[in-house]
Amino acid sequence: MYKIDKLNELAKVVAEKREYNAKLEPRRMTAEEKDVLLKTFHPDYREDQFSVLEVGENKGGKVPTQLAELLQGKSRINPADVDLSNPDYDTDVLIIGGGGAGSSCAIEADNAGVKAMIVTKLRIGDANTMMAEGGIQAADKPNDSPAIHYVDAFGGGHFAAKPELVKKLVTEAPDAIRWLNELGVEFDKDADGTMITTHGGGTSRKRMHAAKDYSGAEIMRTLRDEVLNRGIPVIDFTSAIEIILDENGKASGAVLMNMETKELMVARAKTVVIATGGAGRMHYQGFPTSNHYGATADGLVLGYRAGAKLRDVDTLQYHPTGTGYPEQIFGALVTEKVRSLGAKLVNIDGEVFMNPLETRDVTASSIIRECTARDKGIETSLGKAVWLDTPMIDLIHGEGTIEKRIPAMLRMFGKYGIDIRKEPILVFPTLHYQNGGIDITDKNETKVENLFAAGEVAGGIHGRNRLMGNSLLDVIVFGRNAGIYAAAKAKETATPENLTLEHINKFNAELEEAGVNTGKVSPMLLPHYARDVK
Ligand code: MEZ
């Protein structure tokens, strides 16, 4: 039976070995070792948790079972009930999603001189961007280069990403940092103004730029201010529930739903950008999540029903260090920066069981192995976990480092009486990121003409595993590009006529023909434990 006193007792073992462990340099695993580890312990390899799609562009493809239920779910609307002849909104670029990608997109579309409009089911900034902690990668130091960043990111993603997307990600990274810096993001800098950079798992150079351990919140604050200061319209508490096409199958707007009144509205647009973020709140395989409340895979559903193709959606990222204890913050993110700063992962015997800066899939799998097959986890009220020896940071870098570099972590645990400067913390993997998504070109185009995608909802950038700090980077690089390309396309597109939702009838007919009835209505919009939004 789990007891707090017992935990405190076990933590003493970690303290006793701290000095010794701090000096250890655990070896990296070989490629073969990683391969076996992943196949045995990574949740992506649990075949019983996946289903094969029976309709749509990815027919025959494997996706998590909960996602299959939504992708093959019923629309929230009967197309016959929606009057498309008199749109409530008319714009050039309709951006679905008010996170980092949607906001960056809106700013660039605005720069291009077109009318852009954001629609978001919660409020602008209520997004995974806001939740990102540790930093954003960019190879902008003399010892680094986009080519080295490319090798890290492409290799870290098991060579499964689209090379042209990785190239774009890394080559445009330095400019993304410059852009954010000029917009007003308060990056950590040395006294001479040089940006402070650190390592992340799988990076061969220190290229993680951060604003303490609330980098995403700082970036989102800046982007949100910029969108609002420019007067770009933001329709909040309003979700997009279907993409509208025109008679030629081009994206031409979206059906919107007011989240409180359930009133339906129509937004007509020359181009549409899906920037709805991820899927952590699907809690695949019963995992807790580090994600924002609205991360329910909506964009995948919107895109799929309209005819877009998905890729790599059978691969999810379980961030190795979700909070394992206490209950109030179970699954909340413990930033990788904690490990970048030197804290090591330790088992019940006080043993450092791996190099803490292996890539995330490998680290998560090692922790799962420690807690299952090796039975070296620490039992809490919530299951097993391993130690992350946070006091090691001040031991290595000097007193005050934790307070200065990871104040949000100090505060988050401090609220529950845990002083991470003095005590190790308990961690276990948490559902963090959707590695795949809507298949895009290097111009953010989907398979549906005039339909673009950006940010976590887009696939192909990270392959089958994403490195720390490449997500904040992705939302900026591909968010900005989406704004540029969607605006350019809007300029050469006439106001769409003959809007239609016939593709929904067709999709329903396909489902019926295949005998698929998942009993789910989609997009989901809010987690299953939210107040009913049906
Ligand atoms: O990119 C991320 O997911 C990130 C920066 C997370 C973190 O550990 O802080």
Coordinates of all heavy atoms in Angstrom, one line a residue, residues 131-136 208 213 215-216 317 319-321 333-339 360 432-433 466-473, ligand 1:
M131 N 1.1 25.7 -23.6 CA 1.5 24.8 -22.6 C 3.0 24.4 -22.8 O 3.5 23.7 -21.9 CB 0.7 23.5 -22.7 CG -0.8 23.6 -22.9 SD -1.6 24.1 -21.4 CE -1.7 22.6 -20.5
A132 N 3.6 24.7 -23.9 CA 5.0 24.3 -24.2 C 5.9 25.0 -23.2 O 5.8 26.2 -22.9 CB 5.4 24.6 -25.6
E133 N 6.9 24.3 -22.7 CA 7.7 24.8 -21.6 C 9.2 25.1 -22.0 O 9.7 26.2 -22.0 CB 7.6 23.9 -20.4 CG 6.2 23.9 -19.8 CD 6.1 22.8 -18.7 OE1 7.0 22.1 -18.5 OE2 5.0 22.8 -18.1
G134 N 9.8 24.0 -22.5 CA 11.3 24.0 -22.5 C 12.0 24.9 -23.5 O 13.1 25.3 -23.4
G135 N 11.3 25.1 -24.7 CA 12.0 26.0 -25.7 C 11.7 25.7 -27.1 O 10.8 24.8 -27.4
I136 N 12.4 26.4 -28.0 CA 12.2 26.3 -29.4 C 13.6 26.2 -30.1 O 14.5 26.9 -29.7 CB 11.4 27.5 -29.9 CG1 11.4 27.6 -31.4 CG2 11.9 28.8 -29.3 CD1 10.4 28.7 -31.9
M208 N 18.4 25.1 -28.1 CA 17.1 25.3 -27.5 C 17.0 26.7 -27.0 O 17.7 27.1 -26.0 CB 16.9 24.3 -26.4 CG 15.5 24.1 -26.1 SD 14.7 23.2 -27.4 CE 15.7 21.7 -27.5
D213 N 11.0 28.4 -18.2 CA 10.3 27.2 -18.6 C 8.9 27.4 -18.9 O 8.0 26.6 -18.6 CB 10.5 26.1 -17.5 CG 10.1 26.6 -16.1 OD1 9.8 27.8 -15.9 OD2 10.0 25.7 -15.2
S215 N 8.2 28.9 -22.1 CA 8.5 29.5 -23.5 C 7.3 29.6 -24.3 O 7.1 30.6 -25.0 CB 9.5 28.5 -24.2 OG 10.6 28.3 -23.3
G216 N 6.4 28.6 -24.3 CA 5.2 28.6 -25.1 C 4.3 29.7 -24.7 O 3.7 30.4 -25.5
Q317 N 3.4 10.9 -29.4 CA 4.5 11.1 -28.5 C 4.0 11.1 -27.1 O 3.1 11.8 -26.7 CB 5.2 12.4 -28.8 CG 6.3 12.7 -27.9 CD 7.3 13.8 -28.4 OE1 7.1 14.9 -28.2 NE2 8.2 13.3 -29.2
H319 N 5.4 12.0 -23.7 CA 6.5 12.8 -23.1 C 7.0 12.0 -21.9 O 6.2 11.6 -21.1 CB 6.0 14.2 -22.7 CG 7.2 15.1 -22.4 ND1 8.0 14.9 -21.3 CD2 7.6 16.2 -23.0 CE1 8.9 15.9 -21.3 NE2 8.6 16.7 -22.3
P320 N 8.3 11.7 -21.9 CA 8.8 10.8 -20.8 C 8.5 11.3 -19.4 O 8.2 10.5 -18.5 CB 10.3 10.8 -21.0 CG 10.5 11.3 -22.4 CD 9.4 12.2 -22.8
T321 N 8.5 12.6 -19.2 CA 8.4 13.1 -17.9 C 7.0 13.9 -17.6 O 7.0 15.1 -17.5 CB 9.6 13.9 -17.4 OG1 9.8 15.0 -18.4 CG2 10.8 13.1 -17.4
L333 N 3.1 18.4 -17.6 CA 4.4 18.4 -18.2 C 5.5 18.8 -17.2 O 5.4 19.8 -16.5 CB 4.4 19.3 -19.4 CG 5.7 19.3 -20.2 CD1 6.0 18.0 -20.8 CD2 5.6 20.4 -21.3
V334 N 6.5 17.9 -17.1 CA 7.8 18.3 -16.4 C 8.7 18.5 -17.6 O 9.2 17.5 -18.2 CB 8.2 17.2 -15.4 CG1 9.6 17.6 -14.9 CG2 7.2 17.0 -14.3
T335 N 9.0 19.7 -17.8 CA 9.8 20.0 -19.1 C 11.1 19.2 -19.2 O 11.8 19.0 -18.2 CB 10.1 21.5 -19.2 OG1 10.9 21.7 -20.3 CG2 10.8 22.1 -18.0
E336 N 11.4 18.9 -20.4 CA 12.6 18.2 -20.7 C 13.9 19.1 -20.3 O 15.0 18.6 -20.2 CB 12.7 17.9 -22.3 CG 13.8 17.0 -22.7 CD 13.5 16.5 -24.1 OE1 12.3 16.2 -24.5 OE2 14.5 16.4 -24.9
K337 N 13.6 20.4 -20.2 CA 14.7 21.2 -19.8 C 15.3 20.8 -18.4 O 16.5 21.1 -18.2 CB 14.1 22.7 -19.7 CG 15.2 23.7 -19.6 CD 14.6 25.1 -19.8 CE 15.6 26.2 -19.6 NZ 15.1 27.5 -19.7
V338 N 14.5 20.2 -17.6 CA 14.9 19.7 -16.3 C 16.1 18.7 -16.6 O 17.1 18.7 -15.9 CB 13.8 19.0 -15.5 CG1 14.3 18.3 -14.3 CG2 12.7 20.0 -15.2
R339 N 15.9 17.8 -17.6 CA 17.0 16.9 -17.9 C 18.1 17.6 -18.7 O 19.3 17.3 -18.5 CB 16.4 15.7 -18.7 CG 15.7 14.7 -17.9 CD 15.0 13.6 -18.7 NE 13.8 14.1 -19.3 CZ 13.4 13.9 -20.6 NH1 14.2 13.2 -21.3 NH2 12.3 14.4 -21.1
R360 N 12.8 11.2 -27.1 CA 11.7 11.0 -26.2 C 11.0 9.6 -26.3 O 10.6 9.0 -25.2 CB 10.6 12.0 -26.5 CG 10.9 13.4 -26.0 CD 9.8 14.3 -26.2 NE 10.2 15.6 -25.6 CZ 9.6 16.7 -25.8 NH1 8.6 16.8 -26.6 NH2 10.0 17.8 -25.2
H432 N 1.6 13.5 -25.1 CA 2.1 14.9 -25.3 C 1.9 15.4 -26.7 O 1.6 16.6 -26.9 CB 3.5 14.9 -25.0 CG 4.2 16.3 -25.0 ND1 3.8 17.3 -24.2 CD2 5.2 16.8 -25.8 CE1 4.5 18.4 -24.4 NE2 5.4 18.1 -25.4
Y433 N 2.0 14.6 -27.7 CA 2.0 15.1 -29.1 C 1.6 14.1 -30.1 O 1.8 12.9 -30.0 CB 3.5 15.6 -29.4 CG 3.6 16.4 -30.6 CD1 3.3 17.7 -30.6 CD2 4.1 15.9 -31.8 CE1 3.4 18.5 -31.7 CE2 4.3 16.6 -32.9 CZ 3.9 18.0 -32.9 OH 4.0 18.7 -34.0
R466 N 9.1 13.3 -32.5 CA 9.6 14.7 -32.6 C 10.6 15.0 -31.5 O 10.4 14.5 -30.4 CB 8.3 15.6 -32.5 CG 8.7 17.1 -32.5 CD 7.4 17.9 -32.4 NE 6.7 17.8 -31.1 CZ 7.1 18.3 -30.0 NH1 8.2 19.0 -29.9 NH2 6.4 18.1 -28.9
L467 N 11.5 15.8 -31.9 CA 12.5 16.3 -30.8 C 11.9 17.5 -30.1 O 11.1 18.3 -30.6 CB 13.8 16.7 -31.5 CG 14.6 15.7 -32.3 CD1 15.9 16.2 -32.7 CD2 14.7 14.4 -31.5
M468 N 12.3 17.6 -28.8 CA 12.0 18.8 -28.0 C 12.2 20.1 -28.8 O 13.3 20.2 -29.5 CB 12.8 18.8 -26.8 CG 12.7 20.0 -25.9 SD 14.0 20.1 -24.7 CE 13.5 21.5 -23.8
G469 N 11.3 21.0 -28.7 CA 11.6 22.3 -29.3 C 11.3 22.5 -30.8 O 11.4 23.5 -31.3
N470 N 11.0 21.3 -31.4 CA 10.7 21.4 -32.8 C 9.2 21.6 -33.1 O 8.8 21.8 -34.2 CB 11.2 20.1 -33.6 CG 12.6 20.3 -34.0 OD1 13.2 21.3 -33.9 ND2 13.2 19.2 -34.5
S471 N 8.4 21.6 -32.0 CA 7.0 21.9 -32.2 C 6.7 23.4 -32.1 O 6.0 23.9 -33.0 CB 6.2 21.1 -31.1 OG 4.9 21.5 -31.1
L472 N 7.3 24.0 -31.2 CA 7.1 25.5 -31.2 C 7.7 26.1 -32.5 O 7.2 27.0 -33.1 CB 7.9 26.1 -30.0 CG 7.1 26.1 -28.6 CD1 8.0 26.6 -27.5 CD2 5.8 26.8 -28.7
L473 N 8.8 25.4 -32.9 CA 9.4 25.9 -34.2 C 8.4 25.6 -35.3 O 8.2 26.5 -36.2 CB 10.7 25.2 -34.4 CG 11.4 25.5 -35.7 CD1 11.7 27.0 -35.8 CD2 12.7 24.7 -35.8
Ligands
MEZ1 O1 8.8 20.7 -27.7 C1 8.2 20.3 -26.6 O2 7.4 19.4 -26.6 C2 8.7 20.9 -25.3 C3 9.5 22.1 -25.4 C4 8.4 20.3 -24.2 C5 9.2 20.4 -22.9 O3 9.6 19.3 -22.5 O4 9.4 21.4 -22.4

